[in-house]
């Protein structure tokens, strides 16, 4: 617990040559203006964005937040990073005293905006994930270009380092969200395939480059439907429905990326990832964190396998489950 904490502005350093890191700043400082390392986003050296906050700061004119606040880490507007890096900071159990203050409007959760992304605002899925994590209706503040001073701040350790590790505390938040979302009785066999077909169609329509071809997307949809999986385009559903589909599954399959991270809410499910252009022969880094944190059984099918080999691999996975 920190009294009279100071949250410095969220900023990004100047562009750097390709292959080198770009600096980001925005951290928590104590009453003596000393950096609190637990507030920094953790990423291995040499990765794309690294925190480089000064050890001490001179305070600027800051917006003041009375009451007691929980520091929620880095606020992302990207779904995958939000569920990996943001909600996993919400693991502490708060005292009745703090909850009582919050009910009176004295406090809430305060974050630092990831400076590369859009101006901060809580979209529907972000608000829902925070609610399901156990903080429904609390005040949310996101520090951007203006610093913030906080009367009393709860500063937890980070429970996840992107590209590197996830702790049991991170897994506990995902499990808590899955339980709070409730269950779905829609699929008796528990086989879920998270299709990227519509998502990739939108990327191509906007002039982007999808990581699989139109033919590959169609092939996988047909293969998984024929193997007894329910084929779902998750972006067409609200986040609570997506979570319920995941928690009711015993096998969750898909291509690498954000959609497959829904397996975070289903700790006992097996995970099947199809290789694509970005991750042909290994699990995506985010999926590695999720599945390792839960101890999930995982299987990878490289993109070079033909239809018969895919069918056999899927059949073996389902039978072993």
């Amino acid at each position: 617990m920190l009294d009279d904490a100071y949250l410095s502005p969220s900023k990004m350093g100047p562009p750097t040559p390709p292959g080198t890191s770009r600096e980001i700043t925005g951290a928590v400082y104590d009453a003596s203006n000393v950096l609190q390392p637990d507030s920094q986003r953790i990423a291995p050296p040499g990765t794309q964005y690294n925190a480089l906050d000064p050890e001490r700061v001179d305070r600027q004119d800051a917006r003041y937040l009375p009451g007691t606040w929980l520091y929620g880490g880095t606020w992302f507007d990207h779904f995958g990073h939000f569920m990996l890096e943001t909600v996993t900071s919400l693991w502490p159990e708060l005292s009745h005293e703090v909850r009582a203050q919050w009910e009176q409007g004295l406090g809430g959760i305060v974050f630092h905006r990831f400076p590369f992304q859009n101006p901060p605002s809580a979209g529907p899925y972000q608000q829902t994930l925070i609610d399901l994590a156990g903080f429904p209706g609390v005040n949310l503040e996101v520090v951007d270009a203006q610093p913030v001073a906080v009367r009393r701040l709860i500063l937890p350790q980070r429970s996840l380092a992107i590209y590197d590790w996830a702790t049991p505390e991170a897994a506990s938040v995902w499990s808590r969200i899955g339980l709070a979302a409730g269950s779905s009785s829609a699929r008796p066999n528990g086989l879920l395939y998270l299709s990227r077909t519509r998502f990739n169609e939108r990327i191509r329509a906007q002039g982007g480059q999808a990581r699989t071809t139109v033919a590959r997307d169609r092939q996988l949809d047909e293969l998984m439907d024929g193997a007894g999986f329910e084929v779902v385009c998750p972006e067409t559903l609200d986040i609570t429905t997506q979570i319920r589909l995941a928690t009711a599954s015993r096998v969750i399959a898909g291509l690498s990326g954000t959609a497959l991270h829904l397996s975070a809410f289903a700790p006992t499910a097996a995970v099947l990832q199809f290789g694509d252009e970005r991750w042909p022969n290994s699990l995506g880094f985010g999926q590695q964190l999720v599945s390792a944190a839960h101890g999930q059984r995982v299987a990878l099918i490289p993109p070079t396998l033909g239809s018969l080999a895919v069918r056999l691999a899927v059949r073996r996975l389902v039978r072993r489950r």
Side-chain angles (χ1 to χ4, degrees):
M1 183 83 75
L2 298 175
D3 289 330
D4 299 319
Y6 176 78
L7 280 65
S8 62
S10 174
K11 295 181 180 179
M12 176 168 286
T16 56
T20 59
S21 298
R22 193 167 184 179
E23 301 166 1
I24 58 173
T25 56
V28 174
Y29 293 80
D30 66 12
S32 300
N33 300 329
V34 175
L35 173 67
Q36 303 301 295
D38 283 339
S39 67
Q40 293 179 292
R41 179 182 186 247
I42 303 172
T47 50
Q48 192 172 13
Y49 302 105
N50 285 315
L52 194 66
D53 302 280
E55 292 296 321
R56 302 184 66 93
V57 293
D58 294 322
R59 296 199 180 198
Q60 307 171 28
D61 290 337
R63 185 161 52 93
Y64 182 69
L65 299 179
T68 302
W69 293 75
L70 171 66
Y71 184 65
T74 308
W75 181 275
F76 286 87
D77 63 8
H78 179 280
F79 176 78
H81 284 277
F82 189 85
M83 65 169 290
L84 288 176
E85 298 192 65
T86 303
V87 297
T88 54
S89 295
L90 307 180
W91 59 264
E93 295 290 338
L94 302 183
S95 68
H96 293 299
E97 178 187 3
V98 170
R99 292 282 186 175
Q101 287 185 31
W102 286 13
E103 290 175 0
Q104 300 172 40
L106 295 174
I109 309 174
V110 60
F111 308 82
H112 266 103
R113 179 179 76 93
F114 187 63
F116 178 69
Q117 307 208 325
N118 297 325
S121 62
Y125 82 83
Q126 293 163 313
Q127 185 66 61
T128 298
L129 288 175
I130 291 172
D131 291 349
L132 294 174
F135 303 96
V138 305
N139 295 326
L140 303 178
E141 294 282 348
V142 182
V143 180
D144 195 359
Q146 181 184 10
V148 167
V150 181
R151 174 65 189 90
R152 185 171 289 111
L153 184 71
I154 301 167
L155 177 60
Q157 291 183 323
R158 295 282 177 128
S159 63
L160 184 145
I162 201 68
Y163 311 108
D164 207 352
W165 47 259
T167 68
E169 285 79 12
S172 72
V173 177
W174 293 325
S175 296
R176 195 161 74 214
I177 290 171
L179 288 172
S183 59
S184 170
S185 58
R187 293 182 337 285
N189 68 357
L191 306 179
L192 176 66
Y193 176 64
L194 300 168
S195 171
R196 286 178 68 95
T197 297
R198 292 195 185 182
F199 181 78
N200 287 341
E201 286 174 353
R202 186 173 63 189
I203 289 177
R204 296 185 190 100
Q206 295 171 348
Q209 180 66 45
R211 300 202 301 262
T212 51
T213 64
V214 174
R216 177 66 167 168
D217 290 340
R218 185 181 302 116
Q219 177 201 42
L220 290 176
D221 286 352
E222 293 173 354
L223 280 172
M224 300 309 282
D225 180 67
F229 281 70
E230 180 178 1
V231 178
V232 170
C233 295
E235 68 277 7
T236 65
L237 306 170
D238 65 83
I239 185 59
T240 302
T241 301
Q242 294 180 46
I243 295 171
R244 288 173 176 170
L245 287 171
T247 59
S249 299
R250 58 193 181 97
V251 179
I252 300 176
L255 289 140
S256 68
T258 294
L260 197 57
H261 297 349
L262 288 170
S263 60
F265 306 119
T268 63
V271 176
L272 172 63
Q273 179 185 303
F274 289 98
D276 59 23
E277 183 180 281
R278 184 182 184 190
W279 299 97
N281 298 301
S282 65
L283 290 178
F285 69 82
Q287 197 58 47
Q288 292 178 41
L289 295 178
V290 168
S291 294
H294 284 314
Q296 291 170 326
R297 189 162 57 83
V298 298
L300 175 71
I301 298 181
T304 52
L305 290 185
S307 298
L308 178 59
V310 170
R311 289 192 183 94
L312 291 174
V314 169
R315 188 178 303 169
R316 283 195 298 269
L317 180 69
V318 172
R319 283 179 176 176
R320 285 165 47 201
R321 185 65 188 156

